Amino acid sequence: MASPRRSWSLPLLPLEIIQEIFYRTPAEALVRSKPTCKKWHALITNKSFINKHLQRSKERPQERFIRIFDKVRIMDPITRTSAASPIPNELLQHQYNINTLIYTLMVHCDGLMLVAYRGWKCRSDGSILPNIALWNPLLNKIKWVEQAAGCITSSDYYGIGYNGDGNYKLVRFTCRPFEVEGFEDVPEVEIYEFETSSWRTVGGKVDVDVEITRKCVSVMGNMYWVAYRCWKEDEKFIRVFDFSDETFKDICFCPPSYGDNSHLSCFNGDSLSLLLQQDEASRKIEVWVSSKLGDGDVTFSKYFSLSGPDLPALRVQAKAARPVYCFVKPKSVIVWCVEVEGKGTDKACTCCTLYEIGEDGVKSKKVTEQDDVRDYSRAFVCGYVYVPSMIPLPWVRD
């Protein structure tokens, strides 16, 4: 007689085994699995499970690249596959132009994207429309943050993080190397508390002109910027805003950079990294990583470098989009950058290219987007590193 066939079904497994499997499952797949059954839905939406899934995912970051032009495009740097979806209407509801991303800052923290528009617009009654939103792309949840009662300036900078209790906060500060008439009463540092949905002023002054755009990153709950003192522009350092004690600190000097062609990101979830490239003639690439943050003195060391005329230019010009990059294999980076193909010809076009670059050269190249229309505006739209998570917006509960 033939032996009876044995079968099993995942929903019939003990809950603790299902839970362990889910901890190892990407957040995107879990969100798609919520309608499977009530038991799965209850587990996947459980606050304790969501927080533990986030912590477990930090041990093996599943980083994605996110970029917005006419659509939201999310790229998996490992599989080289991408998914596109419409830009959420909520990001456009206040008349800000999400496509003009050269004037927009995005910062990632635990699957949440802080979207901050540079500048402001007014309602018909003269009040200022919110220019800051918090967005979870995976859950498609967006919430605008009401502005503080004070003035908004074009030199306002923003960051996101959390304190020791895990409560998310925003920081807003104004860099004003020279006093501007009419803005003497603008608080220089403000904190937004999601628990109370309110802003409050923090003491202290910002005495440096902070480089923003791609030169900032949120790591382990704190915000980091590349900064320099106004009288010593060539001596750059890392400044952190610590959300636990709500103070700025200078933690280390940066390695010598090549003008504005240096790019700050995270490394291994607990360190910083800098991607540097020399001018068009040399195109030398250097990657530096820091020691672990929070483990005493922080220093940068060179991770790898390579040079050669055949290396790609990771930034087509000084004001163009900064490349976005992450680490997947030792001694290599995956870079997503904007290029102009056929420059100076009738067939010129912009394209987004994914490179894997290691210490022994360019290992792979893939064009992920291409616009055959001569539209260079895409060359100014930055990408960002993003780790999908099921963390709900702090003041939005399902």
Side-chain angles (χ1 to χ4, degrees):
M1 278 180 70
S3 60
R5 295 181 61 187
R6 300 179 62 183
S7 63
W8 62 277
S9 175
L10 184 59
L12 299 178
L13 291 174
L15 183 60
E16 58 271 18
I17 295 179
I18 294 176
Q19 189 168 280
E20 185 60 34
I21 293 172
F22 282 4
Y23 283 144
R24 302 165 185 261
T25 303
E28 301 101 318
L30 291 179
V31 169
R32 292 194 299 268
S33 300
K34 284 196 294 185
T36 302
C37 65
K38 291 182 179 179
K39 184 166 70 171
W40 284 22
H41 186 277
L43 175 59
I44 294 170
T45 56
N46 178 270
K47 181 178 179 181
S48 177
F49 172 81
I50 290 173
N51 289 332
K52 191 166 183 180
H53 184 275
L54 174 66
Q55 296 307 315
R56 293 277 290 268
S57 67
K58 288 180 178 180
E59 298 171 6
R60 50 185 192 288
Q62 297 165 340
E63 293 171 312
R64 307 286 187 263
F65 297 149
I66 186 170
R67 187 172 181 271
I68 304 177
F69 190 72
D70 50 355
K71 293 182 178 181
V72 177
R73 188 173 297 277
I74 297 178
M75 167 70 62
D76 185 331
I78 297 178
T79 64
R80 273 61 164 182
T81 58
S82 65
S85 60
I87 298 173
N89 289 330
E90 293 90 337
L91 283 181
L92 305 173
Q93 68 178 359
H94 289 320
Q95 306 169 35
Y96 293 104
N97 186 355
I98 191 72
N99 289 336
T100 314
L101 288 184
I102 190 172
Y103 301 113
T104 306
L105 164 73
M106 290 192 188
V107 183
H108 167 264
C109 178
D110 288 353
L112 306 176
M113 298 296 295
L114 169 64
V115 183
Y117 293 84
R118 301 285 293 275
W120 62 92
K121 292 181 181 290
C122 293
R123 297 184 177 97
S124 57
D125 62 1
S127 61
I128 297 174
L129 286 166
N131 69 338
I132 313 168
L134 200 62
W135 173 33
N136 185 321
L138 178 61
L139 302 182
N140 197 25
K141 297 287 187 180
I142 298 167
K143 181 73 174 181
W144 288 86
V145 178
E146 287 294 331
Q147 280 291 353
C151 296
I152 300 174
T153 76
S154 59
S155 58
D156 285 352
Y157 298 141
Y158 299 90
I160 182 172
Y162 48 84
N163 60 16
D165 296 327
N167 297 317
Y168 292 98
K169 301 180 182 182
L170 303 181
V171 61
R172 168 197 171 199
F173 60 94
T174 302
C175 282
R176 292 177 289 127
F178 307 101
E179 291 294 327
V180 180
E181 185 177 354
F183 291 104
E184 292 84 356
D185 296 329
V186 176
E188 287 198 87
V189 184
E190 291 178 306
I191 295 291
Y192 183 84
E193 297 270 7
F194 286 106
E195 283 189 310
T196 60
S197 298
S198 62
W199 291 92
R200 57 182 171 80
T201 302
V202 178
K205 290 181 175 292
V206 180
D207 62 350
V208 298
D209 188 6
V210 176
E211 297 182 4
I212 205 70
T213 315
R214 277 307 301 157
K215 294 191 177 181
C216 65
V217 65
S218 178
V219 183
M220 298 173 64
N222 295 321
M223 274 298 303
Y224 296 83
W225 288 269
V226 173
Y228 60 87
R229 302 192 182 281
C230 299
W231 59 89
K232 201 175 289 187
E233 189 172 340
D234 59 341
E235 190 175 86
K236 294 181 172 59
F237 56 92
I238 298 294
R239 166 158 284 198
V240 59
F241 185 81
D242 189 325
F243 280 92
S244 294
D245 57 17
E246 298 179 349
T247 58
F248 285 101
K249 301 167 186 174
D250 302 337
I251 60 170
C252 68
F253 284 103
C254 297
S257 62
Y258 307 116
D260 199 42
N261 206 358
S262 62
H263 317 287
L264 181 68
S265 192
C266 181
F267 178 74
N268 278 353
D270 57 10
S271 305
L272 301 175
S273 65
L274 280 165
L275 172 66
L276 314 177
Q277 186 169 35
Q278 279 188 8
D279 55 29
E280 185 79 14
S282 169
R283 293 196 177 179
K284 180 180 180 181
I285 293 174
E286 294 181 2
V287 178
W288 294 71
V289 298
S290 77
S291 52
K292 287 186 178 182
L293 302 171
D295 283 359
D297 294 337
V298 178
T299 58
F300 276 97
S301 59
K302 187 180 292 187
Y303 192 53
F304 72 87
S305 66
L306 68 161
S307 58
D310 296 330
L311 291 176
L314 302 180
R315 197 178 189 194
V316 293
Q317 58 167 283
K319 293 184 178 180
R322 297 180 179 276
V324 57
Y325 67 97
C326 69
F327 300 83
V328 175
K329 301 175 184 176
K331 300 294 182 179
S332 69
V333 291
I334 294 181
V335 185
W336 201 25
C337 61
V338 181
E339 298 180 305
V340 177
E341 295 280 347
K343 195 173 182 180
T345 70
D346 293 338
K347 297 182 179 180
C349 65
T350 56
C351 61
C352 293
T353 308
L354 198 69
Y355 287 100
E356 182 179 357
I357 301 173
E359 57 185 347
D360 53 352
V362 176
K363 298 181 179 181
S364 65
K365 172 184 177 181
K366 179 182 179 180
V367 175
T368 61
E369 293 179 59
Q370 185 164 326
D371 189 347
D372 294 328
V373 180
R374 194 168 180 175
D375 178 8
Y376 291 147
S377 60
R378 290 178 182 268
F380 298 92
V381 180
C382 285
Y384 301 88
V385 174
Y386 155 70
V387 179
S389 85
M390 298 175 291
I391 295 292
L393 301 187
W395 35 191
V396 175
R397 295 292 180 263
D398 292 328

